[in-house]
Amino acid sequence: MVRRICCVALFYSLCSVVFVAKAEVTLRRYHVENAVQRSAVCNDHSPALFYLSESNRLSTRWMVFLEGGGLCTSRAECVARFAQQRYHFSSNVDQYAQTLQGRDVFSDSPSNPFRSFRHVMIPYCTSDLFLGRNTQPLKSNHSL
């Protein structure tokens, strides 16, 4: 498992070096519809948001980037993070522009192995943590 994580980290590091200053892909901001009913909300109950590329609309391959952000495990940690990193708690902050100019893994550079994929970037605003090693799909009654 450690070897696999190192390979992913190394690959991302190489991507950052190779793709910087290459052609960029525009990603447009969207808020999740019916976010409260879908439990797709940030810490402050503002609707979760995501950025979606306008290019490669016919592609059936997707590259989904989940923004990191850490977590808080106590009220004191959450209060301290809220004071310094409000964007990790709400989608109602100025940091989230209408569009993003993607680079690195969002680049349409010929050297980017993800250039023909649809691109999604999901900002982090929930202060939680997801981990797992499950390789089998889970059945769920929830739908997106």
Side-chain angles (χ1 to χ4, degrees):
M1 182 62 179
V2 172
R3 187 176 291 165
R4 188 176 299 164
I5 291 170
C6 289
C7 290
V8 170
L10 176 62
F11 177 74
Y12 183 75
S13 296
L14 290 174
C15 288
S16 295
V17 170
V18 173
F19 303 148
V20 170
K22 300 294 182 186
E24 297 177 340
V25 171
T26 299
L27 292 98
R28 184 165 308 283
R29 184 184 72 195
Y30 297 91
H31 282 93
V32 174
E33 293 181 13
N34 302 316
V36 173
Q37 294 85 349
R38 294 177 168 186
S39 297
V41 294
C42 298
N43 285 86
D44 67 346
H45 297 281
S46 59
L49 58 88
F50 60 95
Y51 288 88
L52 177 65
S53 66
E54 300 297 319
S55 59
N56 303 320
R57 288 179 181 253
L58 300 178
S59 179
T60 58
R61 298 181 298 174
W62 291 79
M63 199 286 291
V64 177
F65 180 82
L66 302 173
E67 180 186 40
L71 77 153
C72 49
T73 58
S74 70
R75 179 171 174 73
E77 282 182 12
C78 287
V79 168
R81 280 190 59 224
F82 181 76
Q84 303 223 345
Q85 301 174 349
R86 192 163 300 217
Y87 56 90
H88 282 314
F89 290 84
S90 177
S91 65
N92 294 327
V93 293
D94 292 336
Q95 174 183 332
Y96 298 114
Q98 278 296 117
T99 60
L100 294 178
Q101 292 305 117
R103 59 168 220 231
D104 302 329
V105 295
F106 298 116
S107 166
D108 62 3
S109 166
S111 61
N112 180 2
F114 305 109
R115 72 183 169 278
S116 63
F117 289 41
R118 290 294 304 270
H119 299 102
V120 179
M121 196 282 276
I122 303 174
Y124 175 78
C125 67
T126 54
S127 300
D128 51 6
L129 175 70
F130 297 94
L131 295 173
R133 294 179 16 155
N134 186 24
T135 58
Q136 300 300 315
L138 299 174
K139 295 191 187 314
S140 171
N141 294 329
H142 302 287
S143 62
L144 295 177

